[in-house]
Amino acid sequence: MKFTDDFSVAGGETVIGAGRDAIRRAVMRVWQKAADFYDLGSLPLPEIDFGLRGRCAAQACWRMPVRRESRKAPQLRLRFNLQAYAAHPAEMLNETVPHEIAHLIVVLRWGPRCRPHGAEWRSVMQECFSLEPQRTHSLPLKPSRTLPRDFVYACTCRKHYLTRIRHGRIERGQSVYRCRNCGDILRRSD
């Protein structure tokens, strides 16, 4: 199941707009394929959000009705990183979209208590989408922001550079951090 969308843009159409349209088309195709494969009837498409940034390529989100006997439909949502799509369109359409939709299919078929990348999810990836199940993507994405590590702490084996957030937690007594190498508690070093 390969999706190819020409990523070259003509005229006044923007790359971002083309990315949104390509992802929407892929979601519709993959969603329909899964609904047909598992005989789920006519399911409404999940809400699609393009606000994801950083190293995460996409996310599947859901909210189930509070009561089991409720007739409310679950709220399903897919979030996509358009910067990841711009850098790697084929991988996003052919691997990431089915990966995230498989999470939603698992929730609809087996319930929200299944493990995120458990046997049910792997079976959806293999049987329905004919894809090798991989927990994480291998796209070389950069973090959306990097925090400065201005605070120097030390243990018995080396120095550690912590962010303002971790430093604040130590100062307030909320956290204690240990070196992964020697197991010693980190102490402020000036």
Side-chain angles (χ1 to χ4, degrees), residues 19-160:
R20 286 183 176 141
D21 293 342
I23 290 172
R24 281 190 185 106
R25 284 192 301 274
V27 166
M28 286 191 299
R29 283 183 247 163
V30 173
W31 187 253
Q32 189 59 51
K33 178 177 179 141
D36 293 344
F37 187 86
Y38 289 106
D39 196 26
L40 297 173
S42 62
L43 292 172
L45 274 174
E47 176 188 337
I48 301 173
D49 174 10
F50 296 102
L52 200 56
R53 296 183 185 275
R55 288 189 176 147
C56 188
Q59 284 180 341
C61 310
W62 58 86
R63 180 173 289 150
M64 301 303 281
V66 177
R67 295 186 183 142
R68 287 188 179 182
E69 63 274 1
S70 173
R71 296 203 183 271
K72 281 185 162 181
Q75 295 175 348
L76 306 174
R77 188 167 140 206
L78 294 169
R79 300 180 67 210
F80 291 99
N81 182 338
L82 285 175
Q83 293 169 339
Y85 176 81
H88 310 281
E91 290 89 347
M92 288 289 290
L93 297 177
N94 297 322
E95 297 168 16
T96 306
V97 169
H99 175 114
E100 300 306 330
I101 288 180
H103 286 299
L104 298 181
I105 297 301
V106 167
V107 167
L108 292 173
R109 280 211 50 173
W110 292 283
R113 294 191 187 260
C114 292
R115 296 187 67 183
H117 297 103
E120 298 87 357
W121 177 83
R122 287 193 304 273
S123 74
V124 172
M125 290 294 288
Q126 291 170 335
E127 296 168 11
C128 180
F129 300 134
S130 303
L131 292 172
E132 188 63 33
Q134 294 179 344
R135 288 187 54 217
T136 59
H137 66 78
S138 58
L139 305 176
L141 301 177
K142 295 179 182 174
S144 60
R145 65 181 179 142
T146 56
L147 296 174
R149 297 176 180 269
D150 297 333
F151 298 92
V152 181
Y153 281 75
C155 63
T156 54
C157 68
R158 66 174 190 248
K159 289 184 178 180
H160 299 267

Side-chain angles (χ1 to χ4, degrees), residues 148-151 153 160-164 166-167 170 186:
R149 297 176 180 269
D150 297 333
F151 298 92
Y153 281 75
H160 299 267
Y161 299 91
L162 302 183
T163 64
R164 178 183 49 83
R166 289 190 178 208
H167 169 71
I170 292 171
L186 302 184

Side-chain angles (χ1 to χ4, degrees), residues 4-9 18 25 85:
T4 55
D5 282 276
D6 186 18
F7 198 57
S8 60
V9 289
R25 284 192 301 274
Y85 176 81

